[in-house]
Amino acid sequence: MFLMKRQGSLKVNFIMNAILTMSSFIFPLITFPYVSRILLPTGTGKVSFATSLISYFSMFAQLGIPTYGIRACAKVRDDREELTRTAHELLAINLVMDVISYGVLVLALLFVPRLQEDRTLYVVVSFTIILTAIGMEWLYKALEQYTYITIRSIIFKFVALVAMFLLIHEEEDYVIYGGISILAASASNVFNFINVHKYIDMKPVGNYHFKRHFKPISVFFAMSCATTVYTHLDTVMLGFMKTDEDVGYYNAAVKIKTILVSIVTSLGTVLLPRASYYVEQNQMDEFKRITKKALNFVFLIAVPMMVYFILYARQGIFFLSGSAYTGSIMPMKIIMPTLLLIGITNILGIQILVPLGRERIVLYSEIAGAIVDLILNIMLIPRFASSGAAIGTLAAEGAVLIVQFVALRQDVLPAFRSVSYWKIIAGVLLGTACSYWIVRFGLGNFVTLLITACLFFGIYGCFLLIVREKLVVEIFDQMLDKIRKRVRK
């Protein structure tokens, strides 16, 4: 029995997810400066284009199951037989779609000239399709097994880290880089499949009802399509309309953005199964409480990170990628506001609309984002290349937020009103004033980032404590309590 009380607390889940997020931050922070300097914009651009293209085939194979599966399994997590039945049904659907997806990919590799240049790279990267299916990550997240997910992921990231330095030595090693990236991201899913017997039965349980999933899956699939289109369309269109070098410039900016977004959305990821459970149990007061706290968390984290990495975009790009990536600076500045936009829509869409069964609103918002992105990319990429793609992405995320906010305005206005805007803005301005003068000394990219980050975020955090921002004070008090308990022991 997977009783609610036996699940890890939200605090433990958040800590585990925070560690996982940090590993996702540290891994590229260590490897990308090395890889980008060896492969240069063209090599990293090839891998980025391949990854984005394969994401479309992966999206088709998964049918929205990664998100729908969390909700479906979370609802029946207290009944092992029903949980087993649900997991078997979703896995079977996923595997059938994998076969179809691979068939289409083979045809594309045979008949599309642009793809024949690096056919081996596409085949290697495509392993993510089958590995994602057998990993059943949605089941582990529904059961809130974040400790297991975190430990497993960190081990494989470390293995990939070692492999990166041992195997990549020249510009032609971009295929190896693609393979190692898949190893870091998806290879651990093999252990998911081996370990899954602890939570569900491996033998058929009978009375399968595949049709019950088709309608909700179709909605989640449409959501996944819209999301994948507008999150990867920029890279794919850059690859077809411009050069691998342009893709490399854009990829360097997006790499930093992706790392930061994972930090901003970490709490929302942990809260999805818990939010679905509260809705299923009709505990709406608890549902609203965690929603308000999550939204406040997003503003507290996203706003300062957004401002900091706009101010220090040049140092960030040169430190992570090298001086060959000057073309990445402007796209990075343009794309940074998406940290806040994505953070908010992650709460409105994934944590509120999805648990409430209003996925269609999320779908409509993402369709709006995809349309905006497509139109602006067509207009701007030919003239502005990677900067044009960044503008399209920023506008797309804005469109998604507008649609979701309009649909939920009556429900979420109290949560938005509870955010301490003036405290956040004042803290950011103070942090900026106390750190930006460091740039004048020309201390080098790493030293400048280190000192400015300590000053900017340190002063920002201290200011929020001084003005008694509720969530910051709550977290600080909890940390003090833990320290006191350990001292007493």
Side-chain angles (χ1 to χ4, degrees):
M1 294 290 287
F2 297 103
L3 297 176
M4 191 67 191
K5 63 183 180 181
R6 292 185 184 177
Q7 303 303 321
S9 68
L10 278 179
K11 293 178 184 177
V12 173
N13 290 341
F14 175 67
I15 291 171
M16 287 297 105
N17 204 58
I19 294 173
L20 182 61
T21 299
M22 288 177 63
S23 71
S24 299
F25 174 85
I26 294 171
F27 176 70
L29 191 63
I30 296 173
T31 60
F32 197 68
Y34 173 76
V35 169
S36 61
R37 285 167 172 79
I38 292 178
L39 302 184
L40 300 178
T42 300
T44 58
K46 286 178 181 291
V47 176
S48 178
F49 177 71
T51 303
S52 294
L53 186 68
I54 294 299
S55 69
Y56 287 114
F57 294 92
S58 181
M59 166 201 72
F60 178 75
Q62 293 172 37
L63 280 181
I65 290 175
T67 304
Y68 167 72
I70 297 175
R71 191 184 74 176
C73 292
K75 289 182 177 180
V76 296
R77 60 203 257 174
D78 295 339
D79 184 339
R80 184 180 177 100
E81 182 177 339
E82 187 57 33
L83 179 64
T84 299
R85 183 174 292 109
T86 301
H88 285 184
E89 291 165 352
L90 295 179
L91 178 60
I93 294 171
N94 205 165
L95 292 175
V96 170
M97 296 308 300
D98 273 12
V99 174
I100 298 173
S101 184
Y102 272 113
V104 177
L105 177 59
V106 169
L107 294 176
L109 293 178
L110 289 175
F111 297 108
V112 178
R114 174 69 172 84
L115 305 185
Q116 293 174 358
E117 302 172 11
D118 294 299
R119 189 178 295 170
T120 303
L121 175 63
Y122 299 114
V123 171
V124 170
V125 175
S126 73
F127 274 95
T128 189
I129 299 174
I130 184 63
L131 290 174
T132 299
I134 65 173
M136 295 186 286
E137 193 91 341
W138 35 269
L139 174 63
Y140 287 88
K141 289 181 177 179
L143 300 178
E144 301 186 40
Q145 297 297 313
Y146 287 98
T147 300
Y148 164 76
I149 292 172
T150 300
I151 294 173
R152 178 216 63 189
S153 178
I154 290 175
I155 290 173
F156 273 85
K157 280 183 170 61
F158 179 75
V159 172
L161 174 66
V162 175
M164 199 82 73
F165 289 108
L166 290 178
L167 301 177
I168 298 178
H169 301 294
E170 52 190 34
E171 193 172 348
E172 290 71 26
D173 290 337
Y174 62 87
V175 175
I176 299 175
Y177 173 52
I180 294 175
S181 298
I182 299 305
L183 171 69
S186 303
S188 58
N189 287 344
V190 174
F191 286 88
N192 278 15
F193 189 73
I194 296 173
N195 195 52
V196 77
H197 67 88
K198 295 180 180 179
Y199 309 104
I200 63 173
D201 298 323
M202 301 304 292
K203 296 180 179 179
V205 293
N207 295 320
Y208 292 115
H209 305 290
F210 293 96
K211 290 184 179 179
R212 63 176 172 156
H213 301 296
F214 291 162
K215 185 176 180 179
I217 278 180
S218 65
V219 176
F220 279 98
F221 174 55
M223 288 166 51
S224 177
C225 285
T227 302
T228 304
V229 165
Y230 83 78
T231 53
H232 293 282
L233 186 63
D234 40 17
T235 301
V236 173
M237 291 183 71
L238 264 177
F240 278 111
M241 298 171 70
K242 288 292 185 176
T243 65
D244 287 328
E245 186 177 19
D246 290 309
V247 176
Y249 290 143
Y250 187 67
N251 176 60
V254 170
K255 180 77 71 174
I256 296 174
K257 184 211 77 169
T258 302
I259 293 169
L260 300 176
V261 164
S262 67
I263 297 173
V264 174
T265 60
S266 58
L267 183 61
T269 302
V270 170
L271 290 177
L272 175 57
R274 189 64 59 95
S276 297
Y277 186 87
Y278 285 147
V279 172
E280 184 70 13
Q281 301 297 319
N282 200 31
Q283 299 178 22
M284 299 309 294
D285 288 339
E286 287 297 308
F287 177 75
K288 292 178 181 178
R289 182 184 63 81
I290 63 172
T291 296
K292 185 179 293 185
K293 183 172 291 189
L295 190 63
N296 195 30
F297 174 84
V298 165
F299 274 92
L300 286 170
I301 298 296
V303 173
M305 286 202 304
M306 173 185 76
V307 173
Y308 178 84
F309 283 96
I310 289 176
L311 292 174
Y312 304 103
R314 176 178 294 273
Q315 290 81 6
I317 288 293
F318 283 178
F319 170 65
L320 278 179
S321 306
S323 57
Y325 289 79
T326 303
S328 302
I329 296 172
M330 185 53 67
M332 179 172 166
K333 290 183 177 181
I334 295 170
I335 211 170
M336 275 300 109
T338 61
L339 295 182
L340 180 60
L341 301 179
I342 294 173
I344 296 173
T345 54
N346 184 68
I347 300 300
L348 300 186
I350 302 302
Q351 189 190 312
I352 299 179
L353 289 169
V354 170
L356 290 175
R358 301 174 65 184
E359 304 86 44
R360 291 184 182 276
I361 302 298
V362 182
L363 170 60
Y364 299 149
S365 70
E366 292 174 344
I367 290 175
I371 293 173
V372 169
D373 197 29
L374 177 63
I375 294 173
L376 289 181
N377 281 347
I378 292 174
M379 294 171 58
L380 300 177
I381 285 178
R383 183 176 179 181
F384 300 107
S386 54
S387 292
I391 295 171
T393 298
L394 176 60
E397 296 295 352
V400 172
L401 175 58
I402 290 171
V403 173
Q404 292 185 6
F405 180 80
V406 170
L408 283 170
R409 59 188 180 278
Q410 298 301 325
D411 299 311
V412 299
L413 276 176
F416 274 92
R417 287 170 182 155
S418 69
V419 177
S420 305
Y421 297 106
W422 76 265
K423 295 179 181 178
I424 294 173
I425 294 172
V428 166
L429 291 175
L430 189 60
T432 300
C434 294
S435 65
Y436 198 65
W437 58 275
I438 296 294
V439 176
R440 299 178 182 178
F441 292 97
L443 299 174
N445 297 317
F446 175 73
V447 175
T448 298
L449 288 172
L450 180 64
I451 296 175
T452 56
C454 291
L455 287 172
F456 183 94
F457 292 104
I459 291 170
Y460 172 75
C462 290
F463 176 79
L464 292 181
L465 276 175
I466 293 170
V467 297
R468 307 293 294 175
E469 202 289 321
K470 290 183 180 179
L471 185 56
V472 174
V473 170
E474 180 184 337
I475 295 172
F476 184 73
D477 288 342
Q478 290 176 355
M479 292 172 62
L480 283 181
D481 288 339
K482 289 182 179 180
I483 293 173
R484 287 169 185 156
K485 289 178 181 178
R486 288 182 179 179
V487 170
R488 289 170 185 171
K489 290 180 180 179

